[in-house]
């Protein structure tokens, strides 16, 4: 582990970090790194080249892994391997000859005499012969690290790509470790020279526990001991935003930086700042699309739920046949993903964050996302309800006449005397002077409401919810939301669908549209359980909502029967 320091983590330039730091920050990929390193080493000894392609979206850690492999080979396997790492952006490789000339340059070999040759094929052959001679003389294999392989192929004519493959096939001097953001036609189409040539490894997003570990390690190398010491305070925000940003390492580091600088008071603001940083990239995504495809894609992104082709045609005012044709193109190119369900197919953005970025650019979408973030933060925060009630129950007793109404109510609830508890609650008059007692009162009202709803006493249950939220009007809105989620977590755990539904409906009736968005995950989960219809995951909610809704469904039912693979 590197010592704490003021290391600057450039999100787009892992090559600036030393090997020890790169190794320390490699979370969730250690086994893959060791496996690749071992195979490259074996290739150097057996004379059998290896050709690997690392695939994963922007920021997933491809450059980090390639840089670390390059440095470890350079430091530990230099007796058997000559590692050569091309720049992440190579804008001058249009021919196979350009490729091998760049390899020579990176190895520090002069190429002036080679490029002076007039015929390109001769330039290519001489460059390859020079590399083979170096490998043979030193008894080593040359391992070339190539980032953004798809860009190289886009710049090269097919006959140049064919020449590149022929050279790799005809000599055992070269191994290649390449990367690309996705599988692309140059390696997936049957008629392309490199079809079925690379062994492909898909880099997956980090899991939530790995995200936390990465943040702690970033804090360690950055010398931010305060972040590590107070990590438990950051966890609810991290867990909440994890469901939006996922386990993309670059975004995880951006989240760490944002939290470290601005604190955790407003998770919505943190997420907005993160999305704002991605604006140039997402604008570039839109610029690649023109005309009808841009309109159709934006229609999909701007919707609150996945859309069918018919719905897209209606909203975009385009011909349905045109919409269907363009959707097929957008799906083939990786912009959208389809969910076939019998005769109905719905479409949504393949990249979840792109859809969230688009939502944040518009006021209605921003409200929807902010409410979802607030729900997630409260859902993953420690449950304070039990602690508050425990404080009440530990107060001195013997006050049924009214000296301490909280203790009286708690005592009646604990002993099953609900009517007595309800009578005390209904006789409470005037505002509470003490906000702590007010909060205790709201918790007790909701606890009794839950007990009544579970036993089918709907009238009493709804009356108690009404009393609770009338009194809660004096509390901070964020605190009321937290109390609401704590109450629902408890009643959801009891698994009584009518009680959960009645509670959610009544709270939304009392609090209005704002809470309709805030409690949407719970309402969606209830509907899935009520209707036994898992299609609602794909027709009623966006991808970022599904996992949390599936978790609530599982918590209600106690099984995974209504939790499809998401």
């Amino acid at each position: 582990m590197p010592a704490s320091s003021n290391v600057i983590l450039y999100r787009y330039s892992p090559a600036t970090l030393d090997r020890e730091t790169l190794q320390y920050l490699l979370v969730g990929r250690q086994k893959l790194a060791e496996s690749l390193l071992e195979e490259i080493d074996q290739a150097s000894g057996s004379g059998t080249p290896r050709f690997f392609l690392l695939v994963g979206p922007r920021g997933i850690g491809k450059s980090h892994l390639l840089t670390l492999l390059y440095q470890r080979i350079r430091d530990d396997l230099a007796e058997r391997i000559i590692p050569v790492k091309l720049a992440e952006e190579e804008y001058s490789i249009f021919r196979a000859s350009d490729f091998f000339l760049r390899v020579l340059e990176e190895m520090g070999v002069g190429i002036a005499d080679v490029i002076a040759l007039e015929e390109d094929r001769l330039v290519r052959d001489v460059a390859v012969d020079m590399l083979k001679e170096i490998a043979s003389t030193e008894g080593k294999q040359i391992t070339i690290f190539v980032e953004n392989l798809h860009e190289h192929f886009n710049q090269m004519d097919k006959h140049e790509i064919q020449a590149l493959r022929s050279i790799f096939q005809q000599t055992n001097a070269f191994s290649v470790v390449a990367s690309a953001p996705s599988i692309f036609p140059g390696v997936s189409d049957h008629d392309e020279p490199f079809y079925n040539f690379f062994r492909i490894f898909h880099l997956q997003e980090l899991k939530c526990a790995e995200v936390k570990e990465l943040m702690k390690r970033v804090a360690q190398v950055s010398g931010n001991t305060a972040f590590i010491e107070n990590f438990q305070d950051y966890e609810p925000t991290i867990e909440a935003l994890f469901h939006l940003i996922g386990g993309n390492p670059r975004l995880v580091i951006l989240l760490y930086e944002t939290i470290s600088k601005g604190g955790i008071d407003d998770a919505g603001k943190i997420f907005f700042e993160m999305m704002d940083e991605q604006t140039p990239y997402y604008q570039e995504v839109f610029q690649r699309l023109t005309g009808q495809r841009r309109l159709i894609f934006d229609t999909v992104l701007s919707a609150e739920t996945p859309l069918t082709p018919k719905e897209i045609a209606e909203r975009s005012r385009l011909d349905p046949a045109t919409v269907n044709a363009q959707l097929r193109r957008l799906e083939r190119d990786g912009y959208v993903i389809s969910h076939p369900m019998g005769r109905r197919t719905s479409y949504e953005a393949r990249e979840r964050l792109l859809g969230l970025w688009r939502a944040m650019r518009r006021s209605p979408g921003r409200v929807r996302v902010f409410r979802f973030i607030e729900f997630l933060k409260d859902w993953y925060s420690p449950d304070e309800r039990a602690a508050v009630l425990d404080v009440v129950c530990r107060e001195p007793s013997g006050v049924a006449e009214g000296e301490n109404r909280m203790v009286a109510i708690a005592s009646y609830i604990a002993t099953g005397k609900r009517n007595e508890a309800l009578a005390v609650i209904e006789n409470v008059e005037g505002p509470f002077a003490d906000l702590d007692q007010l909060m205790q009162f709201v918790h007790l009202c909701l606890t009794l409401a839950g007990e009544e709803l579970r036993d089918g006493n709907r009238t009493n249950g709804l009356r108690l919810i009404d009393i609770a939220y009338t009194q809660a009007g004096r509390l901070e809105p964020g605190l009321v939301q937290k109390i609401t989620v704590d109450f629902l977590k408890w009643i959801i755990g009891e698994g009584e669908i009518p009680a959960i539904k009645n509670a959610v409906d009544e709270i939304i009736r009392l609090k209005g549209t704002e809470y309709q968005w805030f409690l949407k995950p719970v309402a969606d989960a209830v509907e899935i359980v009520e209707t036994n219809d898992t299609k609602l995951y794909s027709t009623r909610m966006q991808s970022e909502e599904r996992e949390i809704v599936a978790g609530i469904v599982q918590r209600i039912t106690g099984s995974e029967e209504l939790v499809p693979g998401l």
Side-chain angles (χ1 to χ4, degrees), residues 481-517:
Q481 289 181 175
K482 181 68 174 68
I483 291 172
T484 300
V485 172
D486 285 348
F487 167 58
L488 290 176
K489 280 198 285 189
W490 166 64
I491 200 170
I492 284 169
E494 301 298 314
E496 297 289 339
I497 288 295
I500 302 168
K501 180 176 174 56
N502 283 326
V504 171
D505 288 348
E506 182 64 7
I507 294 170
I508 290 175
R509 185 188 71 80
L510 292 168
K511 303 296 291 183
T513 304
E514 179 181 342
Y515 267 59
Q516 187 172 2
W517 281 116

mmCIF file of all heavy atoms in Angstrom, residues 481-517:
data_model
loop_
_atom_site.group_PDB
_atom_site.id
_atom_site.type_symbol
_atom_site.label_atom_id
_atom_site.label_comp_id
_atom_site.label_asym_id
_atom_site.label_seq_id
_atom_site.Cartn_x
_atom_site.Cartn_y
_atom_site.Cartn_z
ATOM 1 N N GLN A 481 -39.476 13.269 5.336
ATOM 2 C CA GLN A 481 -39.218 12.217 4.348
ATOM 3 C C GLN A 481 -38.525 11.031 4.994
ATOM 4 O O GLN A 481 -38.849 9.874 4.710
ATOM 5 C CB GLN A 481 -38.365 12.775 3.200
ATOM 6 C CG GLN A 481 -39.113 13.742 2.299
ATOM 7 C CD GLN A 481 -38.260 14.267 1.157
ATOM 8 O OE1 GLN A 481 -38.753 14.992 0.279
ATOM 9 N NE2 GLN A 481 -37.000 13.925 1.151
ATOM 10 N N LYS A 482 -37.561 11.295 5.854
ATOM 11 C CA LYS A 482 -36.833 10.216 6.529
ATOM 12 C C LYS A 482 -37.777 9.420 7.422
ATOM 13 O O LYS A 482 -37.733 8.181 7.440
ATOM 14 C CB LYS A 482 -35.686 10.803 7.362
ATOM 15 C CG LYS A 482 -34.847 9.748 8.088
ATOM 16 C CD LYS A 482 -34.063 8.900 7.098
ATOM 17 C CE LYS A 482 -33.110 7.946 7.806
ATOM 18 N NZ LYS A 482 -33.764 6.886 8.563
ATOM 19 N N ILE A 483 -38.633 10.100 8.167
ATOM 20 C CA ILE A 483 -39.613 9.413 9.018
ATOM 21 C C ILE A 483 -40.532 8.547 8.167
ATOM 22 O O ILE A 483 -40.868 7.413 8.516
ATOM 23 C CB ILE A 483 -40.424 10.441 9.839
ATOM 24 C CG1 ILE A 483 -39.529 11.106 10.888
ATOM 25 C CG2 ILE A 483 -41.637 9.789 10.501
ATOM 26 C CD1 ILE A 483 -40.178 12.266 11.613
ATOM 27 N N THR A 484 -40.943 9.090 7.017
ATOM 28 C CA THR A 484 -41.828 8.347 6.112
ATOM 29 C C THR A 484 -41.173 7.056 5.638
ATOM 30 O O THR A 484 -41.783 5.990 5.658
ATOM 31 C CB THR A 484 -42.191 9.220 4.898
ATOM 32 O OG1 THR A 484 -42.858 10.399 5.334
ATOM 33 C CG2 THR A 484 -43.092 8.460 3.934
ATOM 34 N N VAL A 485 -39.935 7.148 5.199
ATOM 35 C CA VAL A 485 -39.241 5.970 4.683
ATOM 36 C C VAL A 485 -39.007 4.951 5.800
ATOM 37 O O VAL A 485 -39.162 3.739 5.590
ATOM 38 C CB VAL A 485 -37.923 6.373 4.002
ATOM 39 C CG1 VAL A 485 -37.104 5.141 3.632
ATOM 40 C CG2 VAL A 485 -38.214 7.189 2.745
ATOM 41 N N ASP A 486 -38.639 5.417 6.995
ATOM 42 C CA ASP A 486 -38.453 4.493 8.120
ATOM 43 C C ASP A 486 -39.748 3.738 8.422
ATOM 44 O O ASP A 486 -39.740 2.522 8.675
ATOM 45 C CB ASP A 486 -37.998 5.257 9.369
ATOM 46 C CG ASP A 486 -36.533 5.674 9.300
ATOM 47 O OD1 ASP A 486 -35.824 5.183 8.394
ATOM 48 O OD2 ASP A 486 -36.101 6.484 10.144
ATOM 49 N N PHE A 487 -40.857 4.460 8.391
ATOM 50 C CA PHE A 487 -42.170 3.839 8.627
ATOM 51 C C PHE A 487 -42.481 2.799 7.558
ATOM 52 O O PHE A 487 -42.887 1.669 7.856
ATOM 53 C CB PHE A 487 -43.243 4.931 8.648
ATOM 54 C CG PHE A 487 -44.655 4.436 8.566
ATOM 55 C CD1 PHE A 487 -45.168 3.547 9.503
ATOM 56 C CD2 PHE A 487 -45.486 4.848 7.528
ATOM 57 C CE1 PHE A 487 -46.479 3.090 9.425
ATOM 58 C CE2 PHE A 487 -46.791 4.401 7.430
ATOM 59 C CZ PHE A 487 -47.291 3.512 8.386
ATOM 60 N N LEU A 488 -42.237 3.147 6.300
ATOM 61 C CA LEU A 488 -42.546 2.227 5.209
ATOM 62 C C LEU A 488 -41.613 1.020 5.202
ATOM 63 O O LEU A 488 -42.032 -0.094 4.879
ATOM 64 C CB LEU A 488 -42.498 2.960 3.876
ATOM 65 C CG LEU A 488 -43.633 3.968 3.643
ATOM 66 C CD1 LEU A 488 -43.438 4.711 2.340
ATOM 67 C CD2 LEU A 488 -44.988 3.275 3.665
ATOM 68 N N LYS A 489 -40.343 1.220 5.548
ATOM 69 C CA LYS A 489 -39.426 0.080 5.635
ATOM 70 C C LYS A 489 -39.937 -0.932 6.661
ATOM 71 O O LYS A 489 -39.880 -2.141 6.435
ATOM 72 C CB LYS A 489 -38.015 0.546 6.015
ATOM 73 C CG LYS A 489 -37.215 1.104 4.852
ATOM 74 C CD LYS A 489 -35.729 1.144 5.134
ATOM 75 C CE LYS A 489 -35.364 2.243 6.075
ATOM 76 N NZ LYS A 489 -33.884 2.417 6.182
ATOM 77 N N TRP A 490 -40.439 -0.411 7.787
ATOM 78 C CA TRP A 490 -40.960 -1.298 8.826
ATOM 79 C C TRP A 490 -42.209 -2.029 8.351
ATOM 80 O O TRP A 490 -42.306 -3.259 8.459
ATOM 81 C CB TRP A 490 -41.276 -0.484 10.093
ATOM 82 C CG TRP A 490 -42.113 -1.234 11.086
ATOM 83 C CD1 TRP A 490 -41.778 -2.369 11.762
ATOM 84 C CD2 TRP A 490 -43.444 -0.901 11.494
ATOM 85 N NE1 TRP A 490 -42.818 -2.763 12.568
ATOM 86 C CE2 TRP A 490 -43.849 -1.890 12.430
ATOM 87 C CE3 TRP A 490 -44.329 0.125 11.175
ATOM 88 C CZ2 TRP A 490 -45.103 -1.866 13.040
ATOM 89 C CZ3 TRP A 490 -45.566 0.149 11.788
ATOM 90 C CH2 TRP A 490 -45.943 -0.842 12.701
ATOM 91 N N ILE A 491 -43.151 -1.307 7.777
ATOM 92 C CA ILE A 491 -44.414 -1.938 7.379
ATOM 93 C C ILE A 491 -44.217 -2.849 6.168
ATOM 94 O O ILE A 491 -44.887 -3.883 6.036
ATOM 95 C CB ILE A 491 -45.493 -0.861 7.124
ATOM 96 C CG1 ILE A 491 -46.895 -1.493 7.194
ATOM 97 C CG2 ILE A 491 -45.295 -0.160 5.809
ATOM 98 C CD1 ILE A 491 -48.008 -0.479 7.188
ATOM 99 N N ILE A 492 -43.257 -2.506 5.288
ATOM 100 C CA ILE A 492 -42.941 -3.392 4.164
ATOM 101 C C ILE A 492 -42.393 -4.709 4.669
ATOM 102 O O ILE A 492 -42.706 -5.783 4.140
ATOM 103 C CB ILE A 492 -41.930 -2.702 3.225
ATOM 104 C CG1 ILE A 492 -42.643 -1.624 2.382
ATOM 105 C CG2 ILE A 492 -41.238 -3.703 2.294
ATOM 106 C CD1 ILE A 492 -41.688 -0.720 1.622
ATOM 107 N N GLY A 493 -41.581 -4.628 5.726
ATOM 108 C CA GLY A 493 -41.009 -5.845 6.302
ATOM 109 C C GLY A 493 -42.050 -6.795 6.854
ATOM 110 O O GLY A 493 -41.789 -7.996 6.981
ATOM 111 N N GLU A 494 -43.231 -6.266 7.168
ATOM 112 C CA GLU A 494 -44.306 -7.114 7.680
ATOM 113 C C GLU A 494 -45.006 -7.878 6.557
ATOM 114 O O GLU A 494 -45.724 -8.849 6.802
ATOM 115 C CB GLU A 494 -45.330 -6.257 8.439
ATOM 116 C CG GLU A 494 -44.757 -5.494 9.627
ATOM 117 C CD GLU A 494 -44.202 -6.434 10.688
ATOM 118 O OE1 GLU A 494 -44.888 -7.406 11.030
ATOM 119 O OE2 GLU A 494 -43.072 -6.186 11.167
ATOM 120 N N GLY A 495 -44.846 -7.413 5.302
ATOM 121 C CA GLY A 495 -45.335 -8.156 4.147
ATOM 122 C C GLY A 495 -46.829 -8.136 3.916
ATOM 123 O O GLY A 495 -47.356 -8.970 3.173
ATOM 124 N N GLU A 496 -47.556 -7.201 4.530
ATOM 125 C CA GLU A 496 -49.013 -7.121 4.347
ATOM 126 C C GLU A 496 -49.324 -6.109 3.245
ATOM 127 O O GLU A 496 -49.274 -4.893 3.454
ATOM 128 C CB GLU A 496 -49.692 -6.707 5.649
ATOM 129 C CG GLU A 496 -49.514 -7.693 6.795
ATOM 130 C CD GLU A 496 -50.321 -8.969 6.572
ATOM 131 O OE1 GLU A 496 -51.283 -8.930 5.787
ATOM 132 O OE2 GLU A 496 -49.976 -9.988 7.185
ATOM 133 N N ILE A 497 -49.660 -6.603 2.065
ATOM 134 C CA ILE A 497 -49.868 -5.738 0.908
ATOM 135 C C ILE A 497 -50.962 -4.686 1.135
ATOM 136 O O ILE A 497 -50.750 -3.501 0.856
ATOM 137 C CB ILE A 497 -50.192 -6.575 -0.346
ATOM 138 C CG1 ILE A 497 -48.936 -7.308 -0.808
ATOM 139 C CG2 ILE A 497 -50.683 -5.696 -1.488
ATOM 140 C CD1 ILE A 497 -47.842 -6.390 -1.274
ATOM 141 N N PRO A 498 -52.155 -5.050 1.618
ATOM 142 C CA PRO A 498 -53.182 -4.016 1.816
ATOM 143 C C PRO A 498 -52.710 -2.905 2.756
ATOM 144 O O PRO A 498 -52.996 -1.722 2.524
ATOM 145 C CB PRO A 498 -54.361 -4.790 2.419
ATOM 146 C CG PRO A 498 -54.163 -6.201 1.941
ATOM 147 C CD PRO A 498 -52.686 -6.396 1.941
ATOM 148 N N ALA A 499 -51.973 -3.275 3.806
ATOM 149 C CA ALA A 499 -51.495 -2.268 4.759
ATOM 150 C C ALA A 499 -50.496 -1.330 4.088
ATOM 151 O O ALA A 499 -50.569 -0.103 4.258
ATOM 152 C CB ALA A 499 -50.849 -2.957 5.959
ATOM 153 N N ILE A 500 -49.581 -1.897 3.305
ATOM 154 C CA ILE A 500 -48.583 -1.071 2.614
ATOM 155 C C ILE A 500 -49.274 -0.145 1.622
ATOM 156 O O ILE A 500 -48.983 1.065 1.561
ATOM 157 C CB ILE A 500 -47.558 -1.959 1.885
ATOM 158 C CG1 ILE A 500 -46.864 -2.904 2.861
ATOM 159 C CG2 ILE A 500 -46.519 -1.100 1.161
ATOM 160 C CD1 ILE A 500 -46.056 -4.006 2.190
ATOM 161 N N LYS A 501 -50.190 -0.706 0.831
ATOM 162 C CA LYS A 501 -50.881 0.084 -0.188
ATOM 163 C C LYS A 501 -51.688 1.214 0.440
ATOM 164 O O LYS A 501 -51.643 2.359 -0.026
ATOM 165 C CB LYS A 501 -51.790 -0.818 -1.022
ATOM 166 C CG LYS A 501 -52.555 -0.076 -2.127
ATOM 167 C CD LYS A 501 -53.353 -1.035 -2.982
ATOM 168 C CE LYS A 501 -54.219 -0.292 -3.985
ATOM 169 N NZ LYS A 501 -53.445 0.620 -4.841
ATOM 170 N N ASN A 502 -52.429 0.915 1.511
ATOM 171 C CA ASN A 502 -53.225 1.945 2.168
ATOM 172 C C ASN A 502 -52.342 3.060 2.726
ATOM 173 O O ASN A 502 -52.673 4.244 2.626
ATOM 174 C CB ASN A 502 -54.053 1.334 3.302
ATOM 175 C CG ASN A 502 -55.264 0.581 2.781
ATOM 176 O OD1 ASN A 502 -55.862 0.960 1.774
ATOM 177 N ND2 ASN A 502 -55.631 -0.504 3.454
ATOM 178 N N ALA A 503 -51.212 2.666 3.313
ATOM 179 C CA ALA A 503 -50.306 3.666 3.882
ATOM 180 C C ALA A 503 -49.742 4.562 2.794
ATOM 181 O O ALA A 503 -49.737 5.791 2.929
ATOM 182 C CB ALA A 503 -49.186 2.962 4.648
ATOM 183 N N VAL A 504 -49.262 3.965 1.711
ATOM 184 C CA VAL A 504 -48.671 4.750 0.619
ATOM 185 C C VAL A 504 -49.717 5.678 0.001
ATOM 186 O O VAL A 504 -49.453 6.868 -0.224
ATOM 187 C CB VAL A 504 -48.065 3.819 -0.454
ATOM 188 C CG1 VAL A 504 -47.649 4.612 -1.690
ATOM 189 C CG2 VAL A 504 -46.866 3.072 0.110
ATOM 190 N N ASP A 505 -50.888 5.139 -0.274
ATOM 191 C CA ASP A 505 -51.941 5.959 -0.901
ATOM 192 C C ASP A 505 -52.329 7.140 -0.025
ATOM 193 O O ASP A 505 -52.532 8.265 -0.517
ATOM 194 C CB ASP A 505 -53.172 5.096 -1.191
ATOM 195 C CG ASP A 505 -52.951 4.118 -2.341
ATOM 196 O OD1 ASP A 505 -51.934 4.264 -3.049
ATOM 197 O OD2 ASP A 505 -53.784 3.208 -2.517
ATOM 198 N N GLU A 506 -52.421 6.912 1.269
ATOM 199 C CA GLU A 506 -52.839 7.981 2.176
ATOM 200 C C GLU A 506 -51.755 9.057 2.302
ATOM 201 O O GLU A 506 -52.050 10.263 2.316
ATOM 202 C CB GLU A 506 -53.171 7.411 3.552
ATOM 203 C CG GLU A 506 -53.677 8.440 4.560
ATOM 204 C CD GLU A 506 -55.008 9.070 4.174
ATOM 205 O OE1 GLU A 506 -55.633 8.618 3.189
ATOM 206 O OE2 GLU A 506 -55.427 10.023 4.859
ATOM 207 N N ILE A 507 -50.508 8.630 2.380
ATOM 208 C CA ILE A 507 -49.417 9.603 2.484
ATOM 209 C C ILE A 507 -49.359 10.463 1.224
ATOM 210 O O ILE A 507 -49.193 11.687 1.298
ATOM 211 C CB ILE A 507 -48.070 8.882 2.725
ATOM 212 C CG1 ILE A 507 -48.076 8.205 4.103
ATOM 213 C CG2 ILE A 507 -46.905 9.867 2.631
ATOM 214 C CD1 ILE A 507 -46.905 7.272 4.341
ATOM 215 N N ILE A 508 -49.506 9.839 0.056
ATOM 216 C CA ILE A 508 -49.490 10.597 -1.201
ATOM 217 C C ILE A 508 -50.685 11.544 -1.262
ATOM 218 O O ILE A 508 -50.562 12.686 -1.712
ATOM 219 C CB ILE A 508 -49.490 9.633 -2.402
ATOM 220 C CG1 ILE A 508 -48.135 8.904 -2.481
ATOM 221 C CG2 ILE A 508 -49.761 10.387 -3.705
ATOM 222 C CD1 ILE A 508 -48.060 7.847 -3.551
ATOM 223 N N ARG A 509 -51.847 11.090 -0.780
ATOM 224 C CA ARG A 509 -53.026 11.965 -0.776
ATOM 225 C C ARG A 509 -52.773 13.188 0.082
ATOM 226 O O ARG A 509 -53.147 14.314 -0.282
ATOM 227 C CB ARG A 509 -54.238 11.195 -0.242
ATOM 228 C CG ARG A 509 -55.550 11.985 -0.318
ATOM 229 C CD ARG A 509 -56.683 11.273 0.403
ATOM 230 N NE ARG A 509 -56.506 11.304 1.847
ATOM 231 C CZ ARG A 509 -56.810 12.343 2.622
ATOM 232 N NH1 ARG A 509 -57.284 13.467 2.092
ATOM 233 N NH2 ARG A 509 -56.633 12.283 3.921
ATOM 234 N N LEU A 510 -52.120 12.980 1.232
ATOM 235 C CA LEU A 510 -51.876 14.088 2.150
ATOM 236 C C LEU A 510 -50.772 15.027 1.654
ATOM 237 O O LEU A 510 -50.859 16.240 1.819
ATOM 238 C CB LEU A 510 -51.496 13.548 3.534
ATOM 239 C CG LEU A 510 -52.606 12.815 4.305
ATOM 240 C CD1 LEU A 510 -52.017 12.096 5.512
ATOM 241 C CD2 LEU A 510 -53.690 13.797 4.746
ATOM 242 N N LYS A 511 -49.732 14.454 1.046
ATOM 243 C CA LYS A 511 -48.547 15.235 0.684
ATOM 244 C C LYS A 511 -48.524 15.677 -0.773
ATOM 245 O O LYS A 511 -47.717 16.531 -1.147
ATOM 246 C CB LYS A 511 -47.278 14.438 1.004
ATOM 247 C CG LYS A 511 -47.171 14.018 2.468
ATOM 248 C CD LYS A 511 -47.069 15.214 3.406
ATOM 249 C CE LYS A 511 -45.754 15.933 3.264
ATOM 250 N NZ LYS A 511 -45.603 17.045 4.219
ATOM 251 N N GLY A 512 -49.342 15.090 -1.636
ATOM 252 C CA GLY A 512 -49.466 15.568 -2.999
ATOM 253 C C GLY A 512 -48.444 15.008 -3.982
ATOM 254 O O GLY A 512 -47.774 14.002 -3.728
ATOM 255 N N THR A 513 -48.337 15.697 -5.120
ATOM 256 C CA THR A 513 -47.516 15.230 -6.245
ATOM 257 C C THR A 513 -46.063 15.009 -5.853
ATOM 258 O O THR A 513 -45.412 14.077 -6.333
ATOM 259 C CB THR A 513 -47.572 16.250 -7.401
ATOM 260 O OG1 THR A 513 -48.927 16.475 -7.765
ATOM 261 C CG2 THR A 513 -46.814 15.740 -8.607
ATOM 262 N N GLU A 514 -45.552 15.860 -4.977
ATOM 263 C CA GLU A 514 -44.156 15.741 -4.554
ATOM 264 C C GLU A 514 -43.876 14.351 -4.003
ATOM 265 O O GLU A 514 -42.858 13.723 -4.331
ATOM 266 C CB GLU A 514 -43.865 16.802 -3.492
ATOM 267 C CG GLU A 514 -42.449 16.753 -2.950
ATOM 268 C CD GLU A 514 -42.223 17.819 -1.880
ATOM 269 O OE1 GLU A 514 -43.024 18.775 -1.818
ATOM 270 O OE2 GLU A 514 -41.260 17.688 -1.133
ATOM 271 N N TYR A 515 -44.779 13.847 -3.194
ATOM 272 C CA TYR A 515 -44.588 12.509 -2.607
ATOM 273 C C TYR A 515 -44.975 11.403 -3.574
ATOM 274 O O TYR A 515 -44.580 10.256 -3.398
ATOM 275 C CB TYR A 515 -45.363 12.389 -1.296
ATOM 276 C CG TYR A 515 -44.530 12.750 -0.089
ATOM 277 C CD1 TYR A 515 -43.953 14.013 0.029
ATOM 278 C CD2 TYR A 515 -44.304 11.833 0.924
ATOM 279 C CE1 TYR A 515 -43.179 14.353 1.116
ATOM 280 C CE2 TYR A 515 -43.533 12.163 2.027
ATOM 281 C CZ TYR A 515 -42.970 13.429 2.120
ATOM 282 O OH TYR A 515 -42.196 13.754 3.203
ATOM 283 N N GLN A 516 -45.743 11.716 -4.581
ATOM 284 C CA GLN A 516 -46.046 10.720 -5.608
ATOM 285 C C GLN A 516 -44.753 10.284 -6.307
ATOM 286 O O GLN A 516 -44.557 9.103 -6.590
ATOM 287 C CB GLN A 516 -47.038 11.294 -6.623
ATOM 288 C CG GLN A 516 -47.534 10.262 -7.621
ATOM 289 C CD GLN A 516 -48.648 10.820 -8.491
ATOM 290 O OE1 GLN A 516 -49.036 11.988 -8.373
ATOM 291 N NE2 GLN A 516 -49.165 9.998 -9.369
ATOM 292 N N TRP A 517 -43.877 11.241 -6.580
ATOM 293 C CA TRP A 517 -42.571 10.911 -7.149
ATOM 294 C C TRP A 517 -41.671 10.283 -6.103
ATOM 295 O O TRP A 517 -40.950 9.316 -6.377
ATOM 296 C CB TRP A 517 -41.903 12.159 -7.724
ATOM 297 C CG TRP A 517 -42.428 12.556 -9.060
ATOM 298 C CD1 TRP A 517 -43.091 13.710 -9.388
ATOM 299 C CD2 TRP A 517 -42.353 11.797 -10.273
ATOM 300 N NE1 TRP A 517 -43.425 13.712 -10.710
ATOM 301 C CE2 TRP A 517 -42.983 12.551 -11.289
ATOM 302 C CE3 TRP A 517 -41.821 10.547 -10.595
ATOM 303 C CZ2 TRP A 517 -43.087 12.104 -12.592
ATOM 304 C CZ3 TRP A 517 -41.920 10.098 -11.898
ATOM 305 C CH2 TRP A 517 -42.546 10.875 -12.881
#
